[in-house]
Amino acid sequence: MTAETAPHDVEQPDDASDASSVARLHVITATAFLILGALVATFAAFQMVMPDLASGIAPLTYGKIAPAGRTLLANGWLTLGLLGAIYYVLPKITGEGLKRSILATISLVLIAVGVLAGVSGILFGLNSGLVGQETPIWARAILALGYLLAAITTTATARAKGDRLGATGWYLTAAPIWLTLSALVGLMPTSSGVAGSIQVAFANATFIGLFVITASVGLLYYAFTTLSNTDVSEPRPLSALGFWSLTLVWANMGAVALIYSPAPDWYETISIAFAIGSLIPLFTITGDIALMIRGNIAAIGDRQTLRYAVVSAIALAAATIVNLLWAWRATSAVVQYTTWVNTFWMLVVLGGGSFAVFAISSIKRGGSAGGRSTHHFVSTMGLVVMFIGMAVGAVVVGFSWAAGSASQAYPDAGAGWKVTAESIEPFLWITALGLLLYALAQFAFIVGIGKKSDEELDAPDPESVFDLQFEGTARYATWKRLMWGTAGVFVFAALMTLVLPIADDADREGTLLADTARTYEAGTAEAIGRDLYISEGCMECHTQVVRPIGTDVGLGPVAIAGDYANENPAPLGAFRFGPDLMHVASRGEFFDKVLVQAHIEDPRALIAWSKMPSYSYLSADDIGALVSYIETLR
Amino acid sequence: MDELLQKAAEAIGMPPSLAERSAQARAEKEGTTVEAVLREWAGESPADSEDEAADEAAAPEDAAPADDAAEQAAEADTDAGAPAEIDTAYLLTLAAEAKRMPEKLVLSSAEARARNAKQSVDEVLAGWAGVDIDELQAAPPPAAQAAEPEASADEPAPQEEEAPAEDEPAAGAAVATAAVAAGAAISMDELLDKVAEAKGMPAALAKRSAEARAKKTGEPLEAVLAEWAGIPVSDVVGAEAAEAATPEPEPEPEAAPESADEAAAEEEEEEADDAADDVEVIEAAEPAEADDDDDSEEEPVAVARSGYPTWLAAAFVLIPLFAVAYILIAPNGPDCGTASQLKVDEATGLAVNCDGSDYGSSTVDFFAEGAALYAQCAACHGSAGEGGAGPAFSGGAVLATFPAGSCAAHVEWVTLGTANWPDATYGATDKPVGGVGVMPGYEATLTPEQIAAVSLYERVQFGGQDLAEAEIDCGLVTAEGETTEAAAP
């Protein structure tokens, strides 16, 4: 603080400067992860179109780079960035400093260490095989501990004004608690078969829905109301409806990732119903914010922050629609397993979540920080280009599958895949270029961060914000109710999309396929091959699930839960950039042991258009084991 | 005198006690009588009173600056675009000025409020502008008001003392909206601009923060702003006046005339006169806004909030209903055939058509199509094929005429009918054409596929031919089980 920039000596409590330095430290660390993660993800995206990029270098295979990039962006950048923004905003709301800020600092260290250790684990062959939770379990344990400390800090801070938290406060208090609970569920040992997939789906859905989306919306509430100088005093019924409906529907979205899988049908149906329900918070929150700031829009001087917040809001709205189309079976029959899955993730993580953090870190200094408008423009362009590449590409690929199966042109997974590979090629280029734009833009962001420290104290007098936030209370918005509701939402979601679907063990008894082929005794070549399949990240491109729909006709018998009874984790997969491997060994002329081995060593020697990385770095024994494993996929 | 006071108070929109006090202050200042002032306020011509004549003559120099002010005020009014008639546009201008919101937003908020409160838009706008609509309509238009020198130039002071903005009668409102308050060497707006510049935050936010601080520390708002702007407080002439406008409890109007407030009001009047040739248009709602506790500040926001679009409420009901309906109708997913869902063959585990045939094979139910088309034939051949005007099909009769393998002849007969049939007989039994009634040709009304389908139906339903065999016989399906290209365009 200098005399020039702060003519009025605000007597901020010591905690307040603590809060802003903790928040700044988080955002700076997070930005380092953002740049690293965006570059790694860009590298992976270019490997899709240039499969020989870094070919033959073990830690740089697509199957390892892709999950590493996602982890860096989601757990490194976004978790730290959102927590940092929460540390900045919560004290503004309560008018008091950050409580137990030492825990926040320890949490920062734990999360950073957890992410770095986890990403190293993925790169050096310790992939857990759980899509979305690829880091080794000990790394996730470190993360969970970090999340817990962060949640203690934020909860203690919010509690100071527990009964008088506005909508912003509800979101930002609940999000870290849910983050911790979600991570703890992710730590529980997975059961074998489809039950394990349900568990992973729950952990992923609660991380995205109850942490990323919830925290982002909370930050947007803060950004929009602060910018427009709007009174968000009384706990408004519409805000409360938006908060509880948003969190309830997104908590129950786990099954979207398992549409048409052998998971119980009713479980899939629940996620579709909640995906329909997700339109309620979309309308409610959009309407609530619009009604709140209506009339005060003209007062918004900080257009830069406004632009960030608007992009974030649009990305979250688009993610809601994409999620609905993904969950909706009729649409999903075409787009599931295509780049559609990535579209949703991109919109939430790189769009809604990231731009919410950008908005908060730009508040009050938007006009003066150079590079911010460049950063905003290029990042947004990157998002738009990625969206075109992923979403349009997904639809094109889906229709290519549907047309192929309807005309019975593809008697097996190999033949006909060429059509898919060729049709998606331009879209993979577009996606890679979009991601590159996005990654480059982030260098402009870190320039802005450096400038920020001088102007930090230009933030409004906490007192005034306090006045804006709390006047009046309502009986439904007390601290006690918030805490019970937070627990209630999580317990309800866990019951509906975790406990009950796992308890429903219809068709889970091992089938003939499971007991004769898909059983792996430790030490056998098949088991070693299966471990390699997981550690090399093969499920980044290959699914092992045949769905009862037209696009999967020709892949062999439809998968049922019992097929996976003896596998933990079950390799269902979430991405299908390469053909499905569920019954690959039974598919006519395509499967030949010698050819498969040659294909793994040098994919483009046999199939010129193949996008598979070369695994020439694996030893002959390892490749033999991998082929033995693939032979069991009958 | 009381009557006059009553009248004047009504005209300027304040309680008589306060009006009297203000009149006293003015009379003292201008060296005129209280009665003259009241008379003037009440709108009675000074010439009506003989007493007034002397006063008028005695104070010509006073009249001059006041007239100046009046002209300025009139100009200000014209600038603000006040039309001659009281219409929505004019009220909108007033309300927008009072609420410091863009007109468009004010209008939409007002419409929402009007809907909810079942008032007219004009009434709502008038309420926000602090104007009584009836009085405004009855009273002369603002230009005329402005011609009343004192009313324009001097009223703001007492007006500010009396905060409640609601239901202000015409004169007060006109004054407020004429927006001539003139004031300070450095106006509030200028000051705010300076602070905003110094602090790099929007003026509105700066004001908000300053208000909070002023409230907390008990300093006047202007003093806080001046401090932030780096200007000596003494330069800010309006400081004391602003203090009067801070939300400290005001003395009862009945209190002693020489209260601190009174003094402040007087001072402000003086300033107003001093600055008369430098009149500035400032927001009429300024004094109200300076007061955090004033309801009127929050009003536009509150109104906007209550204006939930009704379709949103409908969405809250419809979306959950839709979601619940989905669960109830398809708890275990869609039936085979919808949402791309296929059937899983129990023996092979493969995904197959809903009828158990291989995926990609015929999905057209020609038999059902033929059954529907047969309704046209039933008039002559009977709904159960028992015959009527035309020959019977049942009991294998149809296959006697067109035996298995000769579906093509069957189709040709239906296509051409008796009129176009080239031979004298038809069918395997050489039935005479026109022997039993007239068979119309369906070439013009049905497609070849439809004729084949209805023939298929007759042969299977009444002749007992095997469906799969008949489908091939009639050329609807190839021997490999695929729908023929011609049959399934």
Side-chain angles (χ1 to χ4, degrees), chain B residues 15 141 324 428 479:
Chain B
V324 169

Side-chain angles (χ1 to χ4, degrees), chain B residues 69 72-74 76-77 152-154 156 174-183 279-282:
Chain B
Q72 302 266 1
D77 257 349
S152 288
D154 292 327
V175 168
T177 51
V180 182
V279 179
E280 274 194 47
V281 178
I282 67 161

Side-chain angles (χ1 to χ4, degrees), chain B residues 337-376:
Chain B
T338 55
S340 307
Q341 187 87 34
L342 296 177
K343 188 175 166 183
V344 178
D345 187 288
E346 284 183 15
T348 63
L350 294 170
V352 292
N353 287 331
C354 301
D355 60 3
S357 59
D358 286 352
Y359 181 74
S361 62
S362 162
T363 53
V364 183
D365 191 345
F366 295 112
F367 183 79
E369 189 186 354
L373 290 167
Y374 183 75
Q376 299 179 33

